[in-house]
Structures are given as C-alpha cells and as structure tokens.
C-alpha cells in the first residue's frame, strides 16, 4: 500500500520545527525553510505569510499535544501511572518543541497572536488541567496536600518546565541542550512533589526518580 504523501502545509510545519529546534528560531528564515524543503519561497508564502505564522501553528500543535495527553480520563479513575504520565508528558512536550522554551518572551514579543493564544492557554486550559490532576491525585491518596496549595505548587511546576532549558543554558553554557537536560528537569519537578508524596507511593516514586537519573 503506497505511503500517503504529506501535504506541503504539514511538511512546512514539521520541518520548520526540526530546523528551529536544531538551529534556533532566530537563525532560521523562511528562505532557509524553503531551501530545506526543496520548494520555492513563493510556494511557502502560499501557505504562510511569514515565519511568525509558522511559529504560531507549531504552538497550536504543542497545545494539542499537551491537552490530549494530559486530559483527565472520563471513563476511569486516575492512578499512579497517570502521575508518571503527567510529569513525563510535560517534559516530552518541552523536548519536542524545545525551541519555544529557549526564548519564549522574545517569541511572544515578535508574535502578538502567539502571545494572546499562549496566555489564554496557560491561564485557562492548562491551569484547569493541572488543578484537576492534583485534585485527583489527592483524592486517590497519592499526594497529601491542602487544597489551598494546589495552585502555588502547580505554578511552581510550570515555572520549572517553562524556564528549564533557559536555566540549563546559563548553568551549563558549554553543554548542548539534549535529552539529559529534560531528565534533570523531571527530577527537579519530582523534588517539588516529594514532600507531598504519601508513604505507600514512595517506592514507585523513587523508581521514577531513578528512571530519570543521568550521569551528566
């Protein structure tokens, strides 16, 4: 059965993401993207008026990834595996879309539509997802936390996720950003959660920490 040919629009989005991740968004122009794809600049501009539109479309892909992977299941109770998925999804998304986290303030300053949608997502949908997860983890006895602590703890976790790569760049200026960077970020979030972990869950929690241990 022949492979389905990827539409030019989708190829532009996919390959732009790869180029931005590898070289940084500031260093890549629409001409670079067109040359990489083997298409004319005019063909690219038929689909996207400028680079900012491509970046915005990549952000929408990131938002869908987070929303779909972290949606609270409607057909079953959450369990320990969901807490693991919650943490790993956040950093998997950060790795797949890592260019956005290198200079997010700069990206938003150059892209008003991205800025508006990002703030709407973070302050609305994402905050609802995070708080819903925490309430379920508390109800199931995985975490012990006052309800008043849910919002500040979830904000602290988001701050680590959002700025982790920027921190890595300053703390390890000669080291490349790689998957080990993500593992260190996961461990940092786990350290935030450890004081709230119930005793019955500690063995599984320690296994999770060990899974993200790196030598570097």
């Amino acid at each position: 059965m022949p492979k389905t040919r990827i539409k030019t629009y989708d190829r532009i989005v996919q390959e732009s993401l790869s180029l931005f991740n590898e070289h940084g968004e500031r260093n890549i122009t629409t001409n670079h993207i067109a040359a990489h794809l083997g298409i004319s600049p005019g063909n690219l501009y038929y689909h996207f008026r400028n680079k900012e539109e491509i970046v915005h479309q990549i952000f929408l892909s990131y938002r869908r990834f987070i929303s779909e992977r972290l949606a609270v299941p409607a057909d079953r109770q959450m369990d320990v595996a969901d807490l693991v998925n919650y943490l790993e999804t956040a950093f998997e998304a950060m790795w797949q879309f890592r260019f956005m986290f290198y200079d997010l303030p700069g990206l938003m300053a150059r892209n008003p539509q991205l800025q508006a949608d990002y703030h709407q997502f973070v302050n609305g949908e994402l905050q609802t997802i995070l708080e819903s997860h925490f309430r379920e983890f508390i109800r199931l006895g995985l975490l012990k936390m006052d309800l008043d602590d849910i919002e500040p703890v979830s904000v602290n976790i988001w701050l680590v996720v959002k700025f982790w790569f920027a921190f890595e760049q300053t703390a390890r200026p000669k080291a490349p950003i790689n998957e080990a960077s993500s593992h260190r970020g996961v461990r940092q979030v786990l350290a935030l959660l450890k004081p709230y972990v119930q005793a019955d869950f500690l063995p599984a929690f320690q296994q999770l920490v060990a899974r993200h241990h790196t030598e570097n």
Side-chain angles (χ1 to χ4, degrees), residues 15-181:
E15 295 304 319
S16 295
L17 174 59
S18 297
L19 290 171
F20 294 159
N21 280 341
E22 183 176 355
H23 303 288
E25 178 268 342
R26 282 182 177 271
N27 298 319
I28 297 297
T29 67
T30 50
N31 284 340
H32 289 133
I33 297 169
H36 178 77
L37 288 166
I39 63 176
S40 69
N43 193 352
L44 186 147
Y45 288 126
Y46 174 79
H47 298 281
F48 296 95
R49 290 179 299 176
N50 50 47
K51 186 173 69 170
E52 285 67 36
E53 285 193 353
I54 300 174
V55 172
H56 182 249
Q57 187 58 47
I58 291 172
F59 164 73
L60 295 180
S61 298
Y62 164 78
R63 187 173 70 181
R64 284 194 298 271
F65 180 91
I66 290 289
S67 298
E68 292 171 3
R69 290 281 297 272
L70 292 185
V72 176
D75 57 345
R76 62 173 177 82
Q77 285 192 348
M78 297 179 71
D79 56 24
V80 171
D82 290 299
L83 178 55
V84 175
N85 176 67
Y86 163 81
L87 296 172
E88 295 187 339
T89 291
F91 280 90
E92 182 181 345
M94 190 177 72
W95 176 248
Q96 288 190 26
F97 300 89
R98 55 192 176 275
F99 84 92
M100 292 196 308
F101 296 90
Y102 293 159
D103 181 26
L104 187 56
L107 278 177
M108 292 195 293
R110 298 188 298 274
N111 196 328
Q113 185 61 56
L114 172 64
Q115 185 177 57
D117 284 0
Y118 177 84
H119 285 306
Q120 186 277 329
F121 171 61
V122 170
N123 297 323
E125 184 178 354
L126 182 60
Q127 188 64 30
T128 299
I129 290 172
L130 295 178
E131 292 187 7
S132 297
H133 276 71
F134 269 105
R135 289 179 183 277
E136 278 297 290
F137 296 147
I138 292 168
R139 188 181 67 80
L140 293 170
L142 304 179
L143 302 176
K144 185 176 181 180
M145 178 187 297
D146 292 338
L147 295 181
D148 290 343
D149 289 335
I150 291 176
E151 182 177 358
V153 171
S154 63
V155 168
N156 286 344
I157 289 174
W158 177 240
L159 286 173
V160 172
V161 173
K162 178 179 176 181
F163 294 110
W164 185 253
F165 282 160
F167 169 78
E168 284 273 302
Q169 286 179 313
T170 56
R172 302 165 179 263
K174 296 183 179 180
I177 298 296
N178 52 30
E179 289 189 71
S181 306

Side-chain angles (χ1 to χ4, degrees), residues 173-197:
K174 296 183 179 180
I177 298 296
N178 52 30
E179 289 189 71
S181 306
S182 295
H183 288 302
R184 287 190 290 270
V186 171
R187 294 204 312 275
Q188 194 69 27
V189 172
L190 292 173
L192 292 174
L193 285 176
K194 187 175 180 179
Y196 304 101
V197 176

